């Protein structure tokens, strides 16, 4: 949780053109700088546009009384959700958890008007050794071509 919070704060600072706080050693271990002059370059590298490091989500999380050693995080968004960097973030920050079980999430896209290609979503499954991600549009195209039985 602490690493995810730190990554979100660094990304928010960069988006606001603020200088991020000095990174923790744990942060630098999972996001090693790709540019020695920029400590946040390792985090920037997970985004398709490193100059726009936005996950497009907010999050909340914490531990429950029933399972105090388990932290549950919920991501949510109304606009511009970016599944790829979020998957990379989870893959890097949750290594120990991923050795026990995969983590997954789904997303939905909607529009206030009935427009072609304005609806959809997808899914992401994150394993210790890989990330699998697919949009509903890709799955639908495969099904229409006879690729899903």
């Amino acid at each position: 949780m602490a690493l995810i919070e730190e990554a979100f704060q660094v990304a928010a600072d960069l988006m606001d053109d603020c200088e991020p706080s000095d990174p923790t050693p744990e942060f630098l271990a999972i996001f090693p700088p790709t540019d020695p002059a920029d400590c946040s370059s390792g985090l920037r590298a997970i985004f398709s546009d490193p100059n726009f490091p936005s996950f497009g989500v907010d999050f909340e999380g914490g531990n429950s009384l029933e399972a105090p050693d388990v932290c549950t995080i919920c991501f949510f968004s109304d606009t511009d959700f970016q599944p790829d960097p979020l998957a990379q973030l989870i893959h890097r920050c949750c290594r120990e958890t991923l050795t026990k079980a995969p983590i997954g999430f789904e997303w939905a896209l909607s529009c206030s008007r009935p427009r072609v290609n304005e609806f959809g979503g997808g899914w992401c499954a994150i394993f210790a050794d890989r990330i699998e991600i697919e949009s509903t549009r890709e799955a639908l195209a495969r099904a229409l071509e006879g690729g899903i039985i």
Side-chain angles (χ1 to χ4, degrees):
M1 178 76 170
L3 286 169
I4 289 173
E5 288 176 329
E6 185 174 2
F8 265 76
Q9 186 59 56
V10 170
D13 289 345
L14 293 169
M15 289 295 295
D16 291 339
D17 291 326
C18 296
E19 186 64 33
S21 300
D22 290 337
T24 62
E26 295 83 6
F27 180 86
L28 291 174
I30 63 167
F31 296 108
T34 57
D35 175 358
D38 180 5
C39 289
S40 60
S41 60
L43 176 65
R44 287 179 188 269
I46 69 171
F47 296 92
S48 60
D49 183 349
N51 294 316
F52 190 72
S54 173
F55 294 101
V57 297
D58 291 317
F59 77 97
E60 58 184 39
N63 304 65
S64 70
L65 293 175
E66 297 81 31
D69 58 333
V70 175
C71 183
T72 301
I73 300 173
C74 295
F75 297 99
F76 52 94
S77 174
D78 287 334
T79 59
D80 201 30
F81 173 57
Q82 302 295 313
D84 296 321
L86 182 61
Q88 287 291 329
L89 178 76
I90 293 168
H91 192 248
R92 292 179 186 213
C93 291
C94 302
R95 294 257 185 223
E96 183 180 336
T97 300
L98 291 170
T99 63
K100 298 172 186 166
I103 297 172
F105 62 84
E106 298 173 275
W107 71 92
L109 303 174
S110 64
C111 182
S112 62
R113 301 190 184 263
R115 295 185 176 147
V116 175
N117 295 326
E118 293 297 322
F119 297 88
W123 59 268
C124 178
I126 306 159
F127 300 86
D129 62 341
R130 71 190 184 284
I131 297 171
E132 295 180 17
I133 193 165
E134 183 177 40
S135 73
T136 55
R137 190 164 289 130
E138 292 165 335
L140 177 59
R142 267 198 341 274
L144 293 171
E145 293 169 0
I148 296 178
I149 298 175

